[in-house]
Amino acid sequence: MATPPARKPRGRLLIMATATALLATACGSATNTGGAASDGVITLSMHNPDSRTQDPATWQLVEEFNSRHPDLKIRLEGQPVEQHEQRMTIAAQSDTLPEIFWVYDSLAKTMVKDGDLLDLTPILQEKNLEAKFSLSMLAAFRSGDGIQYGVPYQALVTGFYYNKALLDEHGIALPETFDELLAAVKKLKEEGVVPIAQGANSSAFSVWAFLTMLDRFGYEQKYPAILAGNARYDNPDFLRLYGHVRELAEAGAFPENMTTQTYAQAVASYTAGKAAFLDAGVWEAAKIEKSGVGRSTGFWAGPTFADGVGEQKLVMNVPSAPFVVSAKVKEDKKKYAAVKAFIQFYYSDEGQQILVDNAQPPVTTYRPQVDPRKHPVFAAVLDEAAKPGWKSPAAQPDLVVSAATASAMYDSFYGVMSGSLSPQEAARSVQKSLK
């Protein structure tokens, strides 16, 4: 992942030269939002190099918008997450940000402090768009002084997909507690089945279900003090969780090729019926439905822990990292009009239905009807996210820290899963990233 974004220095000549060189070699030329004449073309920069296959909902939204607005056009581009974060950090320093872009909230918070981001409040107040969001969806991306610097890109619902037929074949009920999960893992391993599909190669971020487990050990209550230096990440509660992850690893929960296969390959192993569980999120629902295991797949928020801290009935159903807009857009009337029109289309009921059609839950209060006979996996995800008596944290743990700390968190889990780090070493590595 990218290093923590630096504050803008007063002298910019060196930064400009460095930014130009890095963007040219690693990311392509930077988007130019200036110029005497405007053609109304704006760039939407994403964290996927191929949105058509990796994020079909966004791709379809852009295609539909462009077909309806021949005088305005969105150019969709993207890079892998780490490269994208680096590019946006450099672009902010060199005043070459694209008009709209996805970014981790930790970096967005730095950008809004530096005056790089547009206040979206006026856009959201038009057509009463603001009323379409629940308070938490917008509050997550509002600064202390009231600037609405971002809007939720998608809802983030994560956990474990599971193959009901495979579990039934081996006489295993869906676990509820960690002890039940551990027992299921041992039995699956003994009978030659990969218990949990994981892929760490170039995909270290793919530990979503384990990030939810952090919240079951008090992360949401602890992290403000940890970031302030008044508490430590390598605390006894988190160490117990890492100890449980080691128990899973020692029981054979993860594939032998976990460190060499990618997340996409892990998904492929699950859809091929070679693994009982898959650590993923709602974005995989459509793909799984089209696979051979679609009709036998359910969705699970993950185990509760007898030695956990605080609320155990947690399901991750939070706003994803935000869309943000470059402050320079306001200097160009046609680009501003394009940005406004796209945001208003994206969060309209029609735009949200396009998300739903691509097996993404709406981020507004729009309530679509999903036929479980046609979309059983997507319906299972929505049902688990709305399970009576269960709550959601306010944010996913990695989205409230710097990119460097988020990366350290991912590596810490995969380090314990692979046996390359002890629980103590893993937690200490995250603590070191905070200094």
Side-chain angles (χ1 to χ4, degrees):
M1 302 301 294
T3 55
R7 301 287 292 182
K8 293 181 182 176
R10 294 181 182 276
R12 293 194 170 198
L13 292 179
L14 180 58
I15 288 176
M16 287 290 287
T18 303
T20 300
L22 285 174
L23 288 173
T25 57
C27 312
S29 60
T31 302
N32 182 7
T33 60
S38 174
D39 55 7
V41 175
I42 61 172
T43 295
L44 171 59
S45 187
M46 298 299 294
H47 57 306
N48 296 304
D50 182 7
S51 289
R52 184 168 188 168
T53 59
Q54 295 175 305
D55 186 4
T58 300
W59 182 84
Q60 186 178 339
L61 278 155
V62 169
E63 288 292 298
E64 185 66 26
F65 177 86
N66 285 342
S67 70
R68 297 181 183 204
H69 298 274
D71 56 329
L72 306 171
K73 184 174 176 60
I74 295 176
R75 180 172 51 233
L76 184 60
E77 65 171 26
Q79 310 85 29
V81 176
E82 180 176 355
Q83 185 174 317
H84 178 78
E85 283 280 297
Q86 289 174 336
R87 178 182 177 185
M88 295 304 101
T89 301
I90 293 169
Q93 295 170 339
S94 57
D95 287 332
T96 55
L97 284 168
E99 286 79 16
I100 310 180
F101 55 102
W102 177 100
V103 71
Y104 277 134
D105 190 39
S106 57
L107 181 52
K109 281 182 166 65
T110 295
M111 288 180 173
V112 73
K113 288 178 183 177
D114 289 346
D116 295 319
L117 301 182
L118 185 70
D119 184 359
L120 302 176
T121 302
I123 292 175
L124 295 177
Q125 287 177 340
E126 286 191 27
K127 299 183 179 180
N128 204 29
L129 190 60
E130 202 170 27
K132 289 182 174 289
F133 294 88
S134 66
L135 293 177
S136 61
M137 280 290 182
L138 288 182
F141 308 123
R142 187 180 296 124
S143 66
D145 53 359
I147 295 175
Q148 190 69 50
Y149 62 85
V151 281
Y153 148 65
Q154 289 178 356
L156 195 62
V157 183
T158 62
F160 290 108
Y161 289 101
Y162 63 94
N163 186 326
K164 292 178 282 189
L166 197 53
L167 293 181
D168 289 345
E169 180 184 338
H170 295 278
I172 298 171
L174 178 66
E176 293 183 6
T177 68
F178 175 77
D179 289 340
E180 291 170 352
L181 174 61
L182 186 61
V185 162
K186 290 177 179 178
K187 187 169 185 180
L188 289 164
K189 180 65 174 178
E190 287 172 0
E191 299 184 11
V193 177
V194 173
I196 303 174
Q198 296 277 164
N201 184 21
S202 301
S203 312
F205 53 83
S206 56
V207 289
W208 299 281
F210 295 90
L211 292 173
T212 305
M213 293 179 200
L214 262 178
D215 277 311
R216 297 190 181 110
F217 281 81
Y219 179 89
E220 189 161 44
Q221 294 71 40
K222 290 180 171 68
Y223 85 82
I226 292 172
L227 294 182
N230 298 322
R232 293 182 63 85
Y233 187 92
D234 52 346
N235 62 73
D237 295 331
F238 291 1
L239 284 173
R240 285 201 308 281
L241 171 59
Y242 280 97
H244 290 316
V245 176
R246 180 172 62 182
E247 289 181 78
L248 289 174
E250 291 175 344
F254 311 109
E256 293 180 0
N257 66 340
M258 178 184 69
T259 59
T260 58
Q261 78 171 354
T262 64
Y263 164 70
Q265 290 170 325
V267 174
S269 72
Y270 177 82
T271 56
K274 296 179 180 179
F277 296 88
L278 170 67
D279 182 355
V282 64
W283 58 87
E284 296 295 354
K287 183 185 298 182
I288 293 171
E289 282 180 351
K290 295 174 184 176
S291 75
V293 301
R295 291 290 165 182
S296 65
T297 288
F299 189 75
W300 176 43
T304 60
F305 293 84
D307 60 348
V309 176
E311 182 62 66
Q312 294 298 297
K313 293 182 177 181
L314 294 175
V315 56
M316 192 63 67
N317 181 13
V318 297
S320 180
F323 280 137
V324 296
V325 176
S326 168
K328 292 187 70 175
V329 164
K330 202 167 185 179
E331 300 171 10
D332 187 316
K333 289 184 179 180
K334 196 161 187 180
K335 290 183 184 295
Y336 182 83
V339 165
K340 181 171 70 172
F342 179 67
I343 289 175
Q344 291 176 344
F345 172 65
Y346 191 101
Y347 297 103
S348 68
D349 289 352
E350 188 175 3
Q352 293 298 289
Q353 184 61 47
I354 291 176
L355 287 180
V356 173
D357 291 343
N358 286 275
Q360 291 288 346
V363 295
T364 68
T365 54
Y366 173 63
R367 292 290 178 261
Q369 294 297 316
V370 177
D371 188 342
R373 294 168 299 179
K374 294 181 179 179
H375 302 289
V377 179
F378 185 41
V381 174
L382 296 183
D383 287 345
E384 187 75 353
K387 192 159 57 172
W390 285 61
K391 301 176 181 178
S392 175
Q396 187 169 274
D398 59 326
L399 297 181
V400 295
V401 298
S402 71
T405 295
S407 181
M409 290 167 73
Y410 311 146
D411 292 343
S412 71
F413 280 112
Y414 269 125
V416 175
M417 290 179 193
S418 66
S420 63
L421 293 176
S422 70
Q424 293 77 13
E425 290 169 333
R428 279 199 301 268
S429 70
V430 180
Q431 178 62 35
K432 289 178 181 177
S433 75
L434 294 164
K435 295 180 179 178

